Amino acid sequence: MQANTNNASVTDQGFMAQAMHLAVQAADIGEVPVGALVVCNGQVIGQGYNQTISAHDPCAHAEIMALRQAAQAIGNYRLSGCDLYVTLEPCTMCVGAIIHARIKRLIYAATEPKAGAVASQLQLFSKPHYNHTVQVESGVMADESSAMLSNFFKQRRLAHKVNQAKKDAVVNSTSIIDQSKDAVI
């Protein structure tokens, strides 16, 4: 089901670059940097980026946000003939939404080894019981997307270590003060 994307079209690269800009917006607000675009007849009709934390919505993945906006734009939940560009391999929830929306073609950048539901783990599009087939292309700007994700999580881990060190320092200084009080008594 996976297409060879070593020769991705200029159009696909251009739309994926736009999705990458959306992913940066997600990172800027502390969300996992994933961006998505719905394109129909060469026009962007929906876009989104991860907002699960900021929107307090477990379904606010980039793909879902883009599909919702596109459906509103055309006044129909069926997005037949449209393409979805996303910077990370979709999860199970998003694959279901892609099928229900009748997306014609999914183009994604990086694989998601832990929870990817297209190629990495479940390969849901290859299941015979679905009444819709989605064309899949992967690897368009994969290196750039992977680097953005890796950097985001590296920064998040570093921030966690700094915060933990600060907490440890407060606990240690409180402990030292308590010990000196005990020594005085």
Side-chain angles (χ1 to χ4, degrees):
M1 174 143 295
Q2 293 301 107
N4 180 356
T5 56
N6 292 334
N7 299 315
S9 75
V10 172
T11 302
D12 285 348
Q13 289 187 5
F15 285 127
M16 189 61 74
Q18 289 180 50
M20 292 289 289
H21 287 293
L22 292 165
V24 170
Q25 291 181 39
D28 287 346
I29 61 169
E31 300 276 358
V32 175
V34 180
L37 296 175
V38 176
V39 176
C40 201
N41 299 321
Q43 300 294 315
V44 175
I45 63 168
Q47 60 183 18
Y49 53 86
N50 273 1
Q51 300 174 50
T52 56
I53 299 166
S54 58
H56 311 288
D57 180 354
C59 297
H61 288 196
E63 301 94 321
I64 301 297
M65 303 307 287
L67 292 170
R68 286 175 179 165
Q69 192 177 80
Q72 290 296 312
I74 67 168
N76 192 339
Y77 73 103
R78 297 282 196 220
L79 301 171
S80 301
C82 296
D83 298 334
L84 175 65
Y85 292 83
V86 63
T87 59
L88 184 64
E89 179 182 359
C91 70
T92 304
M93 173 184 69
C94 293
V95 166
I98 290 165
I99 291 168
H100 285 292
R102 302 296 193 263
I103 289 294
K104 176 182 176 184
R105 192 168 67 114
L106 167 68
I107 305 92
Y108 68 90
T111 58
E112 213 303 32
K114 292 183 181 178
V118 177
S120 297
Q121 291 296 327
L122 297 177
Q123 300 94 36
L124 290 178
F125 288 130
S126 66
K127 303 297 181 197
H129 60 276
Y130 293 119
N131 61 352
H132 177 68
T133 302
V134 177
Q135 298 170 25
V136 178
E137 296 186 34
S138 63
V140 178
M141 297 184 71
D143 292 342
E144 296 88 339
S145 180
S146 292
M148 183 186 300
L149 287 156
S150 293
N151 186 53
F152 174 81
F153 286 111
K154 181 179 178 182
Q155 293 299 319
R156 184 181 266 185
R157 286 189 299 274
L158 180 61
H160 178 74
K161 283 182 182 178
V162 168
N163 288 336
Q164 190 60 46
K166 286 179 182 178
K167 287 178 187 177
D168 291 346
V170 169
V171 168
N172 288 339
S173 66
T174 303
S175 176
I176 291 169
I177 291 170
D178 288 343
Q179 289 173 4
S180 64
K181 284 181 186 177
D182 289 342
V184 172
I185 297 178

